Amino acid sequence: MNRRTVLGFAATSALAGLAGCIEGVKEHFGLQGVIPVEIQSEAEETQNILLESRERESGRQSYEQSYSVTPEETVSAPHLDQTEQSFQVSKVENESVTTVRTASVTPETDLVMIRLYDDDLVVELEFEDGDTEIVDGEDGAASGNETAANGTETESNASENQTANGNETDADPDSADE
């Protein structure tokens, strides 16, 4: 047997032995994946938005970016960490927040897509299993309670969206009788 064959076999054996260790190394050193964030403007005017994220466990703010997106522009924002977090998109006009959308981002999230319109914004989450969750503001709500990829219901901020959109309504229909 020649030297190259022996060295090739040794290298292949070492790589095969380490193949199962990568997940353990990631966990040990706290290495996390990332979730890409894209912003797409379908508006006729420049839109100003603020992106914020808070970790679910600690409540610590983990992400804050602001953008001014021109018509027909697509922006790739810095990635989110692949952790459980609450992600909020706020549309800002004349130094006041006009529209707010809040989405629940999980490690199973593959992409966060934000679509901007002149009078609205939509947050679309794509998951590993091919499912898509859309958080929009139709009827003053954030599409009701969306079901995340792991089967748990995410909490929508319908009353916050209604207030931010200027539609002061009561989120609890039973309290209107009192």
Side-chain angles (χ1 to χ4, degrees):
M1 211 190 269
N2 70 28
R3 180 186 278 174
R4 288 185 185 179
T5 305
V6 171
L7 290 175
F9 178 74
T12 304
S13 298
L15 288 175
L18 292 175
C21 297
I22 293 174
E23 194 63 39
V25 170
K26 284 173 127 180
E27 185 177 319
H28 178 72
F29 290 105
L31 301 174
Q32 301 169 350
V34 293
I35 302 169
V37 177
E38 291 186 17
I39 307 163
Q40 187 174 36
S41 177
E42 298 180 20
E44 294 180 13
E45 295 181 14
T46 299
Q47 303 292 314
N48 298 313
I49 61 169
L50 174 64
L51 311 177
E52 298 175 287
S53 183
R54 292 199 173 276
E55 292 178 354
R56 290 240 182 248
E57 284 185 20
S58 66
R60 178 182 69 87
Q61 185 170 7
S62 57
Y63 188 90
E64 182 177 11
Q65 300 286 324
S66 59
Y67 293 92
S68 183
V69 186
T70 59
E72 304 300 321
E73 180 181 22
T74 299
V75 175
S76 292
H79 301 313
L80 290 166
D81 289 336
Q82 202 168 19
T83 61
E84 294 280 338
Q85 53 195 308
S86 177
F87 183 70
Q88 180 174 301
V89 181
S90 303
K91 190 173 178 183
V92 180
E93 293 179 20
N94 300 322
E95 297 184 23
S96 65
V97 175
T98 60
T99 308
V100 177
R101 301 288 178 260
T102 303
S104 181
V105 175
T106 66
E108 291 80 27
T109 306
D110 273 347
L111 173 68
V112 176
M113 174 66 78
I114 302 161
R115 297 187 195 281
L116 302 174
Y117 303 96
D118 285 319
D119 58 349
D120 199 11
L121 69 90
V122 175
V123 178
E124 186 175 315
L125 304 175
E126 293 181 15
F127 297 97
E128 291 174 352
D129 60 5
D131 286 348
T132 301
E133 177 182 326
I134 297 175
V135 182
D136 62 11
E138 293 177 10
D139 301 322
S143 293
N145 286 337
E146 298 289 337
T147 302
N150 61 5
T152 59
E153 286 192 3
T154 57
E155 185 177 315
S156 66
N157 292 331
S159 61
E160 285 181 28
N161 289 332
Q162 291 165 346
T163 302
N165 289 327
N167 298 331
E168 289 286 335
T169 59
D170 198 299
D172 183 7
D174 294 333
S175 66
D177 297 334
E178 295 174 6

